[in-house]
Amino acid sequence: MITLLPFSLEEIPQKLKIKTPEEIMYKGGYPRLHMNNIVPDKFYNSYITTYLERDVRTIANIKDFDAFRKFLVVLE
């Protein structure tokens, strides 16, 4: 398994013209999001579905999926 970290502030390409801290927080540091110009809302929704709902739920052996999903909504 290879661990890939998000971009650091210095690594976010200048051509993206991200200027404010709010834009940086909204866009995040995931390389695929920047390289493929993916809308952050779409990206993070897929991220939640793929990783949090499937993997974390399995690892943590979560039984009450509805409560877990509500918890994730509160975190958003």
Side-chain angles (χ1 to χ4, degrees), residues 6-74:
F7 283 135
S8 69
L9 291 177
E10 293 80 28
E11 292 175 311
I12 294 175
Q14 294 297 318
K15 67 181 177 179
L16 296 175
K17 299 179 179 151
I18 294 177
K19 297 178 179 153
T20 67
E22 291 82 9
E23 287 178 288
I24 293 170
M25 286 188 284
Y26 178 66
K27 264 302 224 194
Y30 292 95
R32 194 176 110 214
L33 193 140
H34 290 278
M35 304 312 286
N36 297 335
N37 203 24
I38 299 171
V39 176
D41 293 338
K42 218 178 228 190
F43 177 82
Y44 291 118
N45 189 37
S46 295
Y47 179 84
I48 287 170
T49 301
T50 301
Y51 296 104
L52 296 181
E53 288 182 2
R54 187 191 68 200
D55 297 346
V56 173
R57 191 171 146 202
T58 302
I59 293 168
N61 197 22
I62 294 171
K63 304 284 187 215
D64 187 350
F65 180 71
D66 290 333
F68 181 63
R69 185 69 176 139
K70 288 176 187 175
F71 172 71
L72 293 177
V73 168
V74 169

